[in-house]
Amino acid sequence: MSDEPAPLTDAFDADVTMTRNDSRHRYELREEEQLAVVINFQDLPGHVDFIHTEAVEGFAGRGLSKVLIRYALDDVVASGKRIIPHCSHVARFVAKHPELYAQYTDLPGEP
């Protein structure tokens, strides 16, 4: 385990925009207007349940999913809701950054 703080951003070279698309129940990352990564979620009373993260073909392996996960988690924390990480990618990210998200997270199956 490293004692170094988590970097504020993951290194990548892209012109990206991130949004929460409530009508489609997902967070979206677009690179130069092209959809690259989505995180599907369910908005619950007091919680946001992260269901699945997927990179569009051609965008995988570039670190863009991590960037969108951080954006989505920060958005949930700022809203005052709690995180439920059913998505394995989100769960791993939370586990790697407990100092940022553990206090805002309810693991699946916890009361």
Side-chain angles (χ1 to χ4, degrees), residues 7-109:
L8 293 177
T9 60
D10 289 302
F12 67 96
D13 183 20
D15 176 23
V16 300
T17 56
M18 293 168 283
T19 58
R20 177 177 164 145
N21 184 335
D22 286 322
S23 66
R24 299 192 77 177
H25 307 285
R26 68 188 194 183
Y27 285 90
E28 301 172 340
L29 182 144
R30 295 179 182 278
E31 181 181 42
E32 298 176 5
E33 302 300 319
Q34 192 171 12
L35 186 63
V37 181
V38 298
I39 303 173
N40 296 306
F41 67 87
Q42 184 177 14
D43 201 0
L44 303 169
H47 289 82
V48 173
D49 188 349
F50 290 96
I51 308 298
H52 181 70
T53 301
E54 185 172 353
V56 174
E57 189 174 331
F59 291 97
R62 297 179 43 205
L64 297 173
S65 293
K66 291 179 195 174
V67 174
L68 185 58
I69 289 169
R70 175 170 240 137
Y71 172 84
L73 295 176
D74 288 347
D75 183 62
V76 171
V77 169
S79 76
K81 290 191 170 192
R82 296 187 59 77
I83 299 160
I84 301 175
H86 273 105
C87 170
S88 60
H89 296 290
V90 174
R92 277 193 301 275
F93 193 90
V94 168
K96 287 182 180 181
H97 302 286
E99 71 285 359
L100 298 175
Y101 303 110
Q103 66 184 337
Y104 305 106
T105 302
D106 294 324
L107 297 177

